[in-house]
Amino acid sequence: MSLYQRINEQQGGPPVPPKPGQPGQSAAGQPPAKVPPGAGAGTPGGPAARPAQPAPAPRRDPALNELRHRIHQQLIDELGPILFDRRLSEQDLRRRVHEQLHAAIAAERVPLSAADKAQLIQDVSDDILGYGPIDKLLRDEDVTEVMVNGPDLVFVERSGKLTKDESIRFIDSDHVRRVIDKIVSEVGRRVDESTPMVDARLPDGSRVNAVISPLSIGGPFLTIRKFATDPLQIDDLIRFGSLNAHSARFLQACIVGKLNVIVAGGTGTGKTTMLNVLSSFIPEDERIITVEDAKELQLHQEHVLCMESRPPNVEGRGEVTIRDLVKNCLRMRPDRIVVGECRSGEALDMLQAMNTGHDGSLTTVHANSPRDTLARLETLVLMAGFDLPVRAIREQMASAIDVIVQLSRLRDGTRRVTHITEVQGMEGDVITLQDVFLFDFGAGVDENGRYRGQLQATGVRPKFAEKLADQGIRLGPEVFARDGGRKAVTGR
C-alpha cells in the first residue's frame, strides 16, 4: 500500500485500488512473477541478447517526495547556522540533525511503514549532510566516476567500464540543481544562467564539472571524477600493470635528476594520477609550487605551496588564470613547478620556465601520442597571443622537454603507459624523438579481452643517461635491456 493510500484511508476516504501497471505490480495488481536468471532477453528463441540490467528502483509516491522536501526545508530553516559551524565535530552535527529529523517526522503525524521511515531518514540525512542520492556512490571505493545525466539517469564507472545505476534517482531537476549548488558553494564558486558551466572539487579533491540550463538539455549535468582516499603509489601502478619495475626506476631517476617531464594522454587516462606518483619522487628538501584549475594533486612533501585559478565574479572581474599563476610562481623562488594541466597560453610560460633554470618541472597535456604532444604544445604556445616563428617554438620545446610519458586507456578499460619517450633535439625543422619504453601490443589479448602485453624497454639508452650519471644517479644496463616483444625504434 502506498503512502497516499494509507493517508487517504486514515482520513476516512474511500479505498483507492492500486492501478494496473503501477511500478512493482502486474496488470492484475499482483507483484510480478520472478524471472529466473538467464530467462527472457538473450534466451534461445527470445529477443536479441542484451546485457543483464539491474531492476530499476520503483518510483516514489508523490506524497512521500513532498513530505521529504517539506522536512528538508524545515531542518534547513532550523539548523541553518549550525550546519556551517566548524566548531562542531562531524559526529555532533550528525547527532543534532538526526534528533531534529526524528522530531520533524513525529510532528508531521503521517503514518509511515518502518521501511518508508528508514528510507526518509536516510534520504534527508544524505541531502543535508552529504550530496543527496549520489552520496552512497561517493562512499563506494569501487566507483571511480559518477555521471548524472538527469534526475532519472545516473551512470557510474567501475573497473574502467560504464554502467547505468538504476537504483539512484533524484526527485526532479531542482533536486539535482540543489546538490550542484551545494558542491560549488563549498569552494566559493557559483553556477547560474550567466555562468551555466563550472569546475569545482569535493573536499577530498575529487574533480567536479556541472552544466545547467540553458546549456544542458534534459536536466542539469553533473560529472564527478573521484579520487582515492589513499593516493596510488608507484608500487600500485606496477601491481596494476601500468608500469614495470624497470620503467618505474627509470622515471624515478628522471624526477630526482631534475629532468623536465610532460605527462600526456586523453581524457580519463590517468594523467593526474601519474603526475601525483611522479611528484612523490621529488626530494623533501625542495620547494614545490603547484598550479591547478581545481586542486587535485596530493603531495606529501612538507614544503609545498598550492595555488588555484579563480573564475571571474558576477561583474566579470577578478579572474586569475593559470597563466597568471605560472608567471607569479616564478617570483616565489621555486625549486619545482608542477602545473596540473596546460590548456592555453600558459604553455609558453611553462617552456620559458623550463629553459631558464627551473629544471625538474612537470605538467600534463591532452594528446594521443608523443608526436601529437609536441604538435599540441606548438598550438598552445601560439594561443599565448605572440606571433612566434614555428622554428623558434620547436627549438624552445626541444631544449626544454626531456621526457614524454604517454598514457592510454585501452579497450579492456585498463589505463597503461604506452610510451616513455626521450626528446633528443632538433634535426633540421623536426624534433627528434626516441622511444625508451614501449607497450607490447603484439602480445594480443586473453580470453577475457584483457591485453597480455607489458611495457618493455626498446634496448636504447637515452642520451641524458650521462647527465644523470654526472649527478650520481646511475641506471644499470638491466633497466634498458630488451626483454622480447617490440623491436627497438631507432628514432622518429
Side-chain angles (χ1 to χ4, degrees), residues 195-224:
T195 54
M197 297 184 295
V198 66
D199 288 314
R201 55 181 167 81
L202 297 180
D204 64 357
S206 298
R207 183 189 305 172
V208 178
N209 176 267
V211 184
I212 64 169
S213 178
L215 300 187
S216 62
I217 309 300
F221 302 153
L222 176 64
T223 308
I224 300 176

Side-chain angles (χ1 to χ4, degrees), residues 144-326:
T144 54
E145 199 143 2
V146 179
M147 287 149 278
V148 180
N149 297 0
D152 301 323
L153 203 56
V154 178
F155 289 85
V156 297
E157 182 189 72
R158 289 185 175 93
S159 303
K161 297 292 185 181
L162 284 180
T163 56
K164 182 180 177 182
D165 195 320
E166 298 278 5
S167 66
I168 304 297
R169 291 184 188 274
F170 289 82
I171 298 174
D172 51 25
S173 295
D174 290 338
H175 191 194
V176 183
R177 178 66 187 275
R178 288 197 298 272
V179 172
I180 292 173
D181 288 339
K182 182 175 183 179
I183 291 173
V184 301
S185 63
E186 289 178 347
V187 291
R189 303 203 173 183
R190 62 187 176 85
V191 59
D192 50 35
E193 287 189 2
S194 62
T195 54
M197 297 184 295
V198 66
D199 288 314
R201 55 181 167 81
L202 297 180
D204 64 357
S206 298
R207 183 189 305 172
V208 178
N209 176 267
V211 184
I212 64 169
S213 178
L215 300 187
S216 62
I217 309 300
F221 302 153
L222 176 64
T223 308
I224 300 176
R225 183 168 297 167
K226 286 178 56 183
F227 270 26
T229 51
D230 185 19
L232 297 179
Q233 303 296 327
I234 192 67
D235 292 337
D236 298 314
L237 298 188
I238 295 173
R239 190 174 71 253
F240 297 153
S242 299
L243 292 166
N244 60 21
H246 288 161
S247 59
R249 169 75 184 103
F250 175 75
L251 290 176
Q252 182 182 18
C254 292
I255 301 301
V256 175
K258 302 195 78 169
L259 299 183
N260 296 319
V261 179
I262 304 287
V263 179
T267 301
T269 54
K271 297 187 299 297
T272 304
T273 299
M274 177 59 70
L275 192 61
N276 238 340
V277 170
L278 295 180
S279 300
S280 68
F281 295 140
I282 299 175
E284 290 281 348
D285 59 350
E286 294 190 13
R287 179 177 171 90
I288 308 166
I289 300 179
T290 69
V291 177
E292 301 173 83
D293 262 334
K295 186 180 181 303
E296 299 174 278
L297 296 174
Q298 298 169 293
L299 275 63
H300 296 292
Q301 291 90 336
E302 185 177 8
H303 201 164
V304 178
L305 291 81
C306 303
M307 296 196 292
E308 192 175 69
S309 65
R310 185 178 71 182
N313 60 17
V314 181
E315 300 172 349
R317 301 176 180 175
E319 181 180 15
V320 180
T321 65
I322 292 284
R323 188 173 185 193
D324 296 329
L325 295 177
V326 171

Side-chain angles (χ1 to χ4, degrees), residues 263-407:
V263 179
T267 301
T269 54
K271 297 187 299 297
T272 304
T273 299
M274 177 59 70
L275 192 61
N276 238 340
V277 170
L278 295 180
S279 300
S280 68
F281 295 140
I282 299 175
E284 290 281 348
D285 59 350
E286 294 190 13
R287 179 177 171 90
I288 308 166
I289 300 179
T290 69
V291 177
E292 301 173 83
D293 262 334
K295 186 180 181 303
E296 299 174 278
L297 296 174
Q298 298 169 293
L299 275 63
H300 296 292
Q301 291 90 336
E302 185 177 8
H303 201 164
V304 178
L305 291 81
C306 303
M307 296 196 292
E308 192 175 69
S309 65
R310 185 178 71 182
N313 60 17
V314 181
E315 300 172 349
R317 301 176 180 175
E319 181 180 15
V320 180
T321 65
I322 292 284
R323 188 173 185 193
D324 296 329
L325 295 177
V326 171
K327 287 179 181 177
N328 187 77
C329 73
L330 297 177
R331 307 183 186 103
M332 298 172 65
R333 199 261 177 215
D335 288 316
R336 306 276 185 144
I337 300 173
V338 182
V339 178
E341 183 178 341
C342 281
R343 294 192 184 97
S344 186
E346 62 268 8
L348 175 60
D349 300 291
M350 193 69 189
L351 289 176
Q352 295 209 18
M354 291 176 173
N355 272 322
T356 54
H358 296 90
D359 295 330
S361 297
L362 302 166
T363 189
T364 70
V365 171
H366 275 83
N368 295 324
S369 70
R371 180 63 64 187
D372 288 346
T373 300
L374 298 179
R376 178 152 167 76
L377 279 172
E378 274 185 39
T379 305
L380 296 179
V381 169
L382 291 172
M383 290 172 68
F386 298 105
D387 190 15
L388 298 174
V390 171
R391 181 175 177 84
I393 297 173
R394 292 180 179 176
E395 287 176 348
Q396 283 247 1
M397 290 193 297
S399 174
I401 304 168
D402 296 304
V403 179
I404 298 173
V405 180
Q406 181 70 43
L407 295 106

